Amino acid sequence: MNQIILLKSTDDADLDWCKEVKGNMYDMVVEGFQLLSRWTGRVWEQCAWKFTRPCKDAVPVESHNSSASFFDYEKVVRWNYTMEERKALLELVSYIKNIGSMMQKCDTLVADALWETIHAEVQDFVQDKLATMLQTTFRKKKDKDLSRILSDMRTLSADWMANTSKPESELPMSQHGAHDSRGNSFYPRPVAPTASQIHCLQFLIYELVSGGNLRKPGGIFGNSGSDIPFNDLKQLEAFFYKLSFFLHILDYTVTIGTLTDLGFLWFREFYLESSRVIQFPIECSLPWMLVSHVLDAQDTGLLESILMPLDIYNDSAQHALVMLKQRYLYDEIEAEVDLCFDQLVLKLSDIIFTYYKSCAASELLDPSFLMLSDNSSKYSVTPVRFNALFKIRGLKLLGRTIDLRSLLVTRMNKLFRDNIDFLFEHFESQDLCAVVELLQLMDVLKLSHHLLSEDLPLDSFTFMLNEMQENVSLVSFSSRLSSQIWTEMLGDFLPNFILCNTTQRFVRSSKVTRHPIQRPVAPSGKPNFYCGSHDLDVAYQNHAELYSGFFGLPHMFAIVKLLGSRSLPWLIRALLDHVSYKMTTLESKVTGLQDALPKSIGLLPFDTGVAGWQKFVHEQLNWGLKTELKTEVLNELKELGSVLYWISLLDIVLREVETTQFMQISPWLGLIPGNDGQIQKVQDVGESPIINLFKSATDAIISNHRCSSPSSFIIFSKQAEAADLLYRNNMNSGSVLEYTLAFTSAALDKYYSKWSANPKTGFIDITTSKDFYRVFSGLQFEYLEDSVHSSSRNHEALGDAVAWGGCTIIYLLGQQLHLELFDFSYQLLNVAEVEGVMDVQLGSSDRAKNVNNTQGWENLLEAMKKARRLNNHVFSMLKARCPLEDKTACGIKQSGALHHRLKFPNAVSAFETLPLRAS
């Protein structure tokens, strides 16, 4: 074909070279016809062999059903082809259809070469070989009828205009039959003989050889009783059969259609009648069996041939309408094609989606996991080429042109939306700890979308994600995911998770058991909605289980990335409203505990010892009948502290994200962080580097006179200014934790008069018992006692969040110093410390007596020390993130008069500077 194209593009080509190229093309077409004929004949033979030898009554291995009954047609076709035979038949059908299609596409390209070659063959025979035969008959005075037939053959088909060896007026032979022995040469003319000429030549040769005897012994070209010489007879025989083949060459399109017609593989009317059914299921149809074999065999080499069996339906439909002229047959074929093609697009889309998702999951798999794996090759994906299928936009099927690419795009968009919905449902069936798994699976889905978008024009992943989250509207700031996170926090996380401050994470309380999660089944039972393959599914599930037992910074990073800057503020606002609600519910319960406290609580001397001090505290805290109320207050403080610590984790993550963004943006904006934490410019140059860069590039391009459209570069410069303004305004975003503490402080203002009574003299009232710190001190004391001596282990149900909630309220009310001076636990620790000093000063007998007295208090004292360290840690964090203003108090002048409005700074607590005793 390349030589033919080169020949047509060359004006003065060598005549011999042109003849050779066109002769080679003719031989190639003949070889193609022979191949197609031989291949189609083999398919016919196998089909006939299968129909005459159905499978036995024994159940085939593929059915896996011992009690099934089958139609006779199933025994002939469905269960009569092994997997190897289906593959071989599919490959052979692909050969036939591909070669036929290639030959059909070059019809107009090779037509002139075929016609010229046939023209040269005919003229060479009728002008050269027939001339020799005529010369022989005249010389030997043979039968005049023989000479007449030969002359008629020349007169019928000789093209004297193409003969270049004799003038046009010269006769082909002299009146005495003399013939020029020199060979003739011809012009290359694409004027092949017509079908009528070929038939007439065949008839004349038949009459010449047989003499009109239809029953000649030995066949038409038998040599017995013939006056024609043997050599001439062989030439006539060869030319006679060439003429028969010339008809197929000239009718090029019809010949290819006949040779590639495989419609007989579908027809089964005889078995429909014998089985007394209207139609067989598509599983019994041989074309669909071949398509299904490609889908199920996982053979990447056959994937590009998956559409070839559908051409059998085209052949059978053409045969039903044109040859059989039966419309009902065509209707049956059309109905089956519609069903089969829908199934093909459905299954093919699933295969493509599974492959790309497996590739994405394999690429994102943790490298450390692969290094520790014994068989890392099972997590790799075999490359498959779908590019040929993605480019099909004109599939011919029953006279319709189908855009397969468009159908795949539509199906892929639906699969991605269904997969996003499945991941959300999967997350909604688990607790908040599964947010890390959701992020991993969403990253896998996003990468698979990116890989597939390189070949198909899919919808934007962000748009599909927002659509499935019901967050498409410009005024919608909540989303399905944020609502689910908030619901999970209210229903499960805040009530059932406890804070472990030492590990900076939340863990599920041992008192609360959660039923095992039943993983939801993907739509239609498709496992590809998870990671694509079983091995990758197991790997990602094992990795997700590492984050299933706690909630910490990895989960917070996942929440920030999933919600983004649009839905995260909504969640923060919901948490702040929850803080305000908790303050409201806490007020009435705290009031109930305040009413049970005595009007004044004094300080006892240290000589009573630990036992005496503990007895004194029990006498002061008359809460025996308010057990439920104490439990409710502790739970409220625990939820409040959990929210505050949760927001502190969020603040850490947001600061890290903002730092990363600052490092990426600051070089373009010319900014650096200052010593005081504020952002400063590198130097006063007026405009940022990104604006200067685009402006200088724009000026240089505009100054060049060869620039055809400078307006586009001016737009670039304006966009740089807009980008500078946009990113510069987003640099100082503030602290979420500081805003939360300020919000909490504002929410406490309405309860300030009830929880923090101002002293009338301006000094701290030692005996006051109605302030909040007194309530928290009593709750903490009993809570610690209960956690040490009781088997209920309340600390495992509440954790460290109680201290975060109570200390935050105390700090914002300005009662930190009060707590550190008058807390029951702190005073008990002071008593124990004094007793320890006295033990050193006493003799051995007295020391042994005191040891016996303090025996059994070690666990309680250790728990109180831990509580004090935790409270100090919370206060330190609060001072760093929410420093209070200078307080006003009263002093006493030397004259004894009060000195009002004396300012003093909020100094560091003395307990924070004390060294801890070695345990």
Side-chain angles (χ1 to χ4, degrees):
M1 288 175 61
N2 294 334
Q3 291 179 348
I4 291 292
I5 295 174
L6 179 63
L7 187 149
K8 288 189 174 183
S9 63
T10 304
D11 296 334
D12 300 327
D14 183 66
L15 185 62
D16 294 335
W17 180 73
C18 293
K19 185 177 180 181
E20 181 183 1
V21 170
K22 294 176 181 179
N24 291 337
M25 176 56 70
Y26 176 85
D27 294 338
M28 188 64 65
V29 170
V30 171
E31 182 180 356
F33 283 172
Q34 291 173 345
L35 281 175
L36 292 176
S37 177
R38 186 159 57 249
W39 289 340
T40 306
R42 290 180 178 179
V43 176
W44 271 101
E45 291 174 1
Q46 186 197 37
C47 182
W49 194 90
K50 291 292 184 182
F51 271 81
T52 56
R53 292 170 176 82
C55 69
K56 298 179 181 179
D57 294 335
V59 179
V61 178
E62 294 88 346
S63 67
H64 301 289
N65 191 350
S66 58
S67 62
S69 59
F70 305 105
F71 298 111
D72 291 339
Y73 187 71
E74 290 184 275
K75 297 178 181 179
V76 170
V77 175
R78 185 180 183 184
W79 306 120
N80 211 16
Y81 285 84
T82 63
M83 301 298 290
E84 292 78 8
E85 289 174 341
R86 294 182 186 184
K87 179 180 179 181
L89 180 58
L90 177 64
E91 290 179 344
L92 196 56
V93 170
S94 301
Y95 295 159
I96 294 172
K97 293 300 180 179
N98 276 319
I99 295 299
S101 176
M102 292 169 61
M103 294 182 69
Q104 185 63 51
K105 288 180 180 178
C106 65
D107 181 12
T108 56
L109 180 64
V110 303
D112 291 347
L114 297 179
W115 293 347
E116 289 183 18
T117 303
I118 294 175
H119 175 266
E121 290 279 348
V122 173
Q123 298 308 314
D124 177 69
F125 182 82
V126 299
Q127 294 193 35
D128 286 343
K129 294 183 174 60
L130 287 185
T132 304
M133 295 180 187
L134 282 172
Q135 185 180 6
T136 303
T137 56
F138 275 107
R139 183 182 303 155
K140 295 183 178 180
K141 306 297 183 181
K142 295 289 182 179
D143 190 0
K144 293 185 179 181
D145 292 336
L146 181 63
S147 300
R148 178 184 58 81
I149 293 175
L150 295 176
S151 300
D152 291 342
M153 292 174 62
R154 301 190 75 192
T155 303
L156 178 66
S157 57
D159 183 11
W160 302 112
M161 296 179 62
N163 195 327
T164 62
S165 60
K166 297 179 180 180
E168 184 179 355
S169 59
E170 185 178 350
L171 294 176
M173 58 183 178
S174 64
Q175 62 181 21
H176 299 289
H179 175 70
D180 192 358
S181 60
R182 295 175 298 173
N184 298 324
S185 58
F186 309 99
Y187 287 114
R189 298 183 62 188
V191 284
T194 63
S196 300
Q197 288 178 308
I198 292 177
H199 285 302
C200 289
L201 286 174
Q202 286 180 319
F203 175 76
L204 292 175
I205 293 175
Y206 174 78
E207 185 178 3
L208 179 67
V209 174
S210 65
N213 185 8
L214 300 179
R215 300 179 179 271
K216 183 179 179 181
I220 182 176
F221 291 103
N223 198 23
S224 60
S226 175
D227 296 333
I228 303 175
F230 179 78
N231 292 334
D232 293 346
L233 185 65
K234 286 298 182 181
Q235 291 181 358
L236 288 172
E237 181 181 4
F239 187 66
F240 180 84
Y241 289 120
K242 275 187 178 182
L243 289 175
S244 301
F245 202 78
F246 287 163
L247 292 173
H248 300 297
I249 297 292
L250 295 177
D251 204 357
Y252 187 86
T253 302
V254 176
T255 302
I256 293 178
T258 303
L259 294 178
T260 60
D261 185 7
L262 301 176
F264 58 88
L265 296 176
W266 179 85
F267 289 101
R268 60 276 183 109
E269 297 302 313
F270 170 78
Y271 290 95
L272 289 175
E273 293 293 336
S274 63
S275 301
R276 298 182 181 274
V277 295
I278 299 176
Q279 192 56 262
F280 296 116
I282 61 173
E283 289 80 7
C284 300
S285 179
L286 186 57
W288 175 250
M289 286 170 52
L290 299 179
V291 175
S292 181
H293 173 74
V294 180
L295 296 174
D296 300 335
Q298 303 295 329
D299 191 346
T300 58
L302 297 177
L303 194 58
E304 294 184 357
S305 304
I306 194 171
L307 298 177
M308 293 301 171
L310 295 180
D311 209 21
I312 298 176
Y313 290 117
N314 291 334
D315 298 338
S316 59
Q318 179 74 10
H319 191 79
L321 287 178
V322 177
M323 301 297 295
L324 302 178
K325 294 181 173 56
Q326 298 293 334
R327 177 59 186 268
Y328 79 93
L329 278 178
Y330 177 82
D331 293 337
E332 292 178 359
I333 296 171
E334 185 179 26
E336 183 174 325
V337 167
D338 291 340
L339 179 59
C340 291
F341 191 76
D342 290 341
Q343 293 293 321
L344 171 62
V345 174
L346 183 67
K347 293 186 176 182
L348 183 61
S349 302
D350 291 339
I351 291 175
I352 295 173
F353 181 79
T354 302
Y355 169 75
Y356 278 94
K357 192 161 189 186
S358 299
C359 291
S362 177
E363 184 175 345
L364 293 179
L365 197 61
D366 192 353
S368 60
F369 177 83
L370 295 176
M371 292 179 62
L372 297 176
S373 176
D374 297 333
N375 184 16
S376 59
S377 60
K378 64 181 180 180
Y379 302 112
S380 60
V381 182
T382 304
V384 182
R385 296 195 313 170
F386 294 99
N387 306 70
L389 296 176
F390 293 153
K391 296 177 181 179
I392 298 178
R393 311 195 68 165
L395 177 63
K396 301 291 185 179
L397 197 58
L398 299 188
R400 294 173 288 181
T401 302
I402 301 175
D403 189 352
L404 181 62
R405 177 186 175 90
S406 177
L407 294 177
L408 289 177
V409 168
T410 303
R411 179 63 185 168
M412 287 299 165
N413 288 330
K414 185 180 184 303
L415 284 175
F416 274 104
R417 286 177 169 85
D418 292 343
N419 201 168
I420 293 174
D421 183 67
F422 165 75
L423 294 182
F424 285 156
E425 291 181 356
H426 179 59
F427 172 68
E428 290 166 358
S429 65
Q430 303 181 88
D431 56 24
L432 193 59
C433 301
V435 69
V436 175
E437 181 186 18
L438 175 63
L439 177 62
Q440 291 178 344
L441 298 179
M442 202 64 73
D443 288 340
V444 170
L445 187 61
K446 186 176 182 180
L447 180 58
S448 60
H449 178 274
H450 173 72
L451 295 176
L452 194 55
S453 297
E454 296 178 356
D455 298 309
L456 294 177
L458 302 178
D459 294 342
S460 171
F461 185 79
T462 303
F463 175 78
M464 290 191 290
L465 183 61
N466 291 336
E467 180 180 343
M468 299 311 298
Q469 288 201 92
E470 303 172 0
N471 195 19
V472 181
S473 174
L474 294 176
V475 296
S476 176
F477 299 101
S478 64
S479 62
R480 177 181 178 181
L481 183 58
S482 61
S483 300
Q484 174 60 27
I485 292 176
W486 174 236
T487 303
E488 192 67 26
M489 288 189 68
L490 283 181
D492 179 56
F493 181 79
L494 294 178
N496 300 328
F497 277 73
I498 61 174
L499 171 62
C500 182
N501 190 73
T502 55
T503 58
Q504 294 185 346
R505 61 178 62 181
F506 292 90
V507 294
R508 182 176 291 278
S509 175
S510 60
K511 288 191 174 184
V512 179
T513 58
R514 185 180 179 92
H515 297 289
I517 300 299
Q518 298 293 332
R519 294 192 179 274
V521 180
S524 302
K526 299 170 184 173
N528 56 359
F529 273 31
Y530 199 79
C531 284
S533 67
H534 175 71
D535 293 328
L536 290 171
D537 289 350
V538 173
Y540 273 85
Q541 288 175 7
N542 293 335
H543 189 268
E545 288 179 358
L546 300 176
Y547 300 91
S548 61
F550 72 98
F551 184 92
L553 287 177
H555 305 80
M556 195 61 70
F557 274 105
I559 289 177
V560 170
K561 187 173 181 180
L562 287 171
L563 294 185
S565 58
R566 185 172 184 179
S567 297
L568 191 58
W570 179 88
L571 180 60
I572 295 173
R573 182 62 197 183
L575 289 170
L576 295 178
D577 292 341
H578 186 67
V579 169
S580 179
Y581 171 74
K582 285 299 174 183
M583 290 295 181
T584 304
T585 57
L586 193 61
E587 186 268 337
S588 60
K589 299 174 183 178
V590 171
T591 302
L593 295 179
Q594 285 177 332
D595 296 338
L597 289 174
K599 295 183 178 179
S600 63
I601 300 177
L603 297 179
L604 287 182
F606 284 10
D607 54 2
T608 59
V610 175
W613 181 255
Q614 186 180 19
K615 181 180 179 182
F616 167 75
V617 174
H618 288 166
E619 293 175 354
Q620 298 296 323
L621 300 178
N622 189 16
W623 290 342
L625 300 178
K626 297 184 179 295
T627 304
E628 294 184 1
L629 189 60
K630 290 189 299 181
T631 303
E632 292 177 0
V633 172
L634 287 173
N635 288 328
E636 297 291 344
L637 291 176
K638 180 250 181 184
E639 289 197 25
L640 181 61
S642 297
V643 172
L644 294 174
Y645 193 84
W646 197 92
I647 292 181
S648 70
L649 292 179
L650 176 62
D651 187 69
I652 294 173
V653 172
L654 290 178
R655 284 181 177 272
E656 183 172 339
V657 172
E658 291 170 1
T659 302
T660 304
Q661 294 177 352
F662 176 79
M663 295 176 65
Q664 296 172 348
I665 297 171
S666 58
W668 299 98
L669 302 181
L671 302 176
I672 59 173
N675 296 329
D676 55 352
Q678 300 298 321
I679 298 175
Q680 299 177 355
K681 285 188 177 181
V682 178
Q683 56 184 356
D684 275 338
V685 293
E687 295 177 338
S688 61
I690 186 174
I691 297 178
N692 293 330
L693 178 64
F694 275 88
K695 279 189 175 181
S696 59
T698 301
D699 295 339
I701 293 174
I702 292 177
S703 61
N704 189 354
H705 299 289
R706 291 180 296 177
C707 181
S708 58
S709 58
S711 59
S712 59
F713 296 97
I714 297 176
I715 295 175
F716 287 161
S717 179
K718 297 296 183 182
Q719 289 178 344
E721 296 179 5
D724 176 83
L725 181 62
L726 176 63
Y727 285 106
R728 193 181 297 274
N729 291 334
N730 289 334
M731 296 300 291
N732 296 319
S733 58
S735 172
V736 177
L737 180 58
E738 292 177 5
Y739 180 79
T740 302
L741 293 175
F743 181 89
T744 307
S745 178
L748 281 172
D749 288 343
K750 63 177 70 175
Y751 312 116
Y752 185 83
S753 60
K754 298 181 180 180
W755 290 359
S756 181
N758 291 323
K760 298 178 180 179
T761 60
F763 294 99
I764 296 177
D765 191 355
I766 298 177
T767 61
T768 183
S769 61
K770 300 299 183 182
D771 290 348
F772 180 80
Y773 79 92
R774 283 292 193 186
V775 177
F776 178 75
S777 177
L779 289 173
Q780 181 178 246
F781 186 87
E782 294 188 353
Y783 163 69
L784 294 175
E785 276 191 330
D786 192 31
S787 63
V788 172
H789 300 294
S790 176
S791 60
S792 61
R793 307 292 293 174
N794 286 343
H795 189 270
E796 296 182 1
L798 298 176
D800 298 335
V802 175
W804 278 86
C807 291
T808 301
I809 295 177
I810 291 173
Y811 177 79
L812 296 177
L813 292 175
Q815 298 176 2
Q816 177 188 353
L817 186 59
H818 300 65
L819 180 69
E820 293 173 349
L821 291 176
F822 308 121
D823 181 73
F824 299 126
S825 302
Y826 292 2
Q827 294 185 57
L828 186 62
L829 289 175
N830 295 336
V831 172
E833 187 175 357
V834 170
E835 287 187 352
V837 174
M838 292 177 62
D839 291 343
V840 177
Q841 298 175 355
L842 294 175
S844 59
S845 59
D846 295 335
R847 187 183 303 122
K849 181 179 180 181
N850 284 341
V851 169
N852 293 331
N853 292 335
T854 59
Q855 210 170 25
W857 305 99
E858 291 83 359
N859 293 335
L860 178 60
L861 294 176
E862 186 62 29
M864 290 180 176
K865 290 178 182 179
K866 291 182 180 180
R868 183 171 63 179
R869 288 195 295 267
L870 176 60
N871 294 343
N872 293 337
H873 172 73
V874 176
F875 287 136
S876 300
M877 186 276 298
L878 294 173
K879 289 176 185 178
R881 306 308 297 274
C882 184
L884 298 179
E885 298 179 355
D886 293 342
K887 302 301 179 182
T888 59
C890 296
I892 302 177
K893 297 181 181 180
Q894 292 182 355
S895 61
L898 295 178
H899 183 67
H900 297 281
R901 303 191 60 81
L902 178 66
K903 291 187 177 181
F904 65 94
N906 190 7
V908 180
S909 172
F911 289 104
E912 298 178 11
T913 61
L914 291 176
L916 298 177
R917 289 184 59 187
S919 57

